[in-house]
Amino acid sequence: MNNQIKLIGQRIQDLREIAEISVEEISEYLNISVEKYLAYENGEKDMPISILYELANKFDVDFTAILSGDAPKLNVYQYVKAGQGLSVERKEAYKYDTLAFNFANKRIEPFYVTVPPSSPDDPIQMTCHPGQEFNYCLDGRVCIIINGKEIVMEKGDSLIFDSKYWHGMKALDGKEAHFLAIVSD
């Protein structure tokens, strides 16, 4: 398993122990089995972004601190050159680059998301998390399902939704797609 996944799991375990929360309590909070949670915490299974985001909120830490182990330091602004976001190497269906990784006390989490090409038969990986999400399609075409409703986004289209409802997406036309996702809590 990827070393980054193990490091993230260790940071989550440390935060849970500092907060004096049992594995059973955090599993119940996340609405997942103890076994699944322990697989995340032990770095045996890749943790979805939605779970990481919920844990950051639960432990009252910045999302970036869980990903990188470093606390954000900038308070006035953060400038990120194209292609220089903090890559969130996930084994999920998408690649995320967080674009505000060093800005402290943020109320939103902006991501540059790459959705790899898929075939029409590929299933859509679904997720949900607290807050709201805004998506702006930069290029390609993306099929997004929100609470059972299917929406096809093309370059320049935008969408905002309550992210507590199950949602997921996949690129269309056998081509990679890119979009800006802004998540709030």
Side-chain angles (χ1 to χ4, degrees):
M1 191 55 59
N2 174 320
N3 192 47
Q4 184 185 23
I5 294 168
K6 289 182 185 273
L7 291 172
I8 289 170
Q10 183 61 57
R11 287 195 270 293
I12 294 296
Q13 180 181 0
D14 292 346
L15 288 167
R16 181 183 57 74
E17 290 174 354
I18 289 167
E20 298 180 348
I21 298 174
S22 72
V23 169
E24 292 76 16
E25 288 174 288
I26 201 70
S27 298
E28 185 176 326
Y29 171 78
L30 296 170
N31 198 28
I32 60 174
S33 70
V34 168
E35 294 76 20
K36 188 173 201 174
Y37 175 78
L38 284 173
Y40 291 150
E41 192 174 276
N42 294 329
E44 299 163 359
K45 186 171 172 53
D46 195 15
M47 202 175 310
I49 292 286
S50 58
I51 297 283
L52 290 171
Y53 198 74
E54 284 191 56
L55 290 169
N57 286 333
K58 176 71 173 174
F59 298 129
D60 196 26
V61 298
D62 194 279
F63 182 78
T64 302
I66 291 176
L67 293 178
S68 69
D70 293 326
K73 297 167 182 61
L74 302 174
N75 291 300
V76 178
Y77 70 90
Q78 178 186 358
Y79 175 67
V80 178
K81 297 281 286 175
Q84 299 299 307
L86 177 64
S87 183
V88 183
E89 307 237 352
R90 314 298 304 155
K91 288 205 159 216
E92 292 182 359
Y94 330 119
K95 177 182 178 281
Y96 296 84
D97 290 321
T98 180
L99 302 175
F101 56 91
N102 207 19
F103 190 76
N105 303 314
K106 58 188 166 284
R107 292 182 292 271
I108 61 168
E109 193 69 51
F111 296 98
Y112 178 83
V113 183
T114 302
V115 185
S118 60
S119 72
D121 297 335
D122 289 343
I124 293 180
Q125 183 176 340
M126 303 298 281
T127 189
C128 64
H129 50 86
Q132 297 176 337
E133 186 168 326
F134 173 82
N135 294 338
Y136 181 83
C137 187
L138 300 166
D139 63 53
R141 288 177 7 111
V142 180
C143 175
I144 298 181
I145 295 177
I146 302 168
N147 199 32
K149 172 72 174 157
E150 188 173 302
I151 300 164
V152 174
M153 291 183 66
E154 298 177 339
K155 181 179 179 177
D157 292 349
S158 64
L159 171 69
I160 189 167
F161 58 94
D162 186 333
S163 51
K164 75 180 174 195
Y165 294 99
W166 286 99
H167 59 280
M169 66 196 65
K170 72 175 181 177
L172 299 175
D173 308 324
K175 297 178 182 173
E176 190 172 86
H178 300 95
F179 68 93
L180 176 66
I182 300 173
V183 180
S184 71
D185 56 1

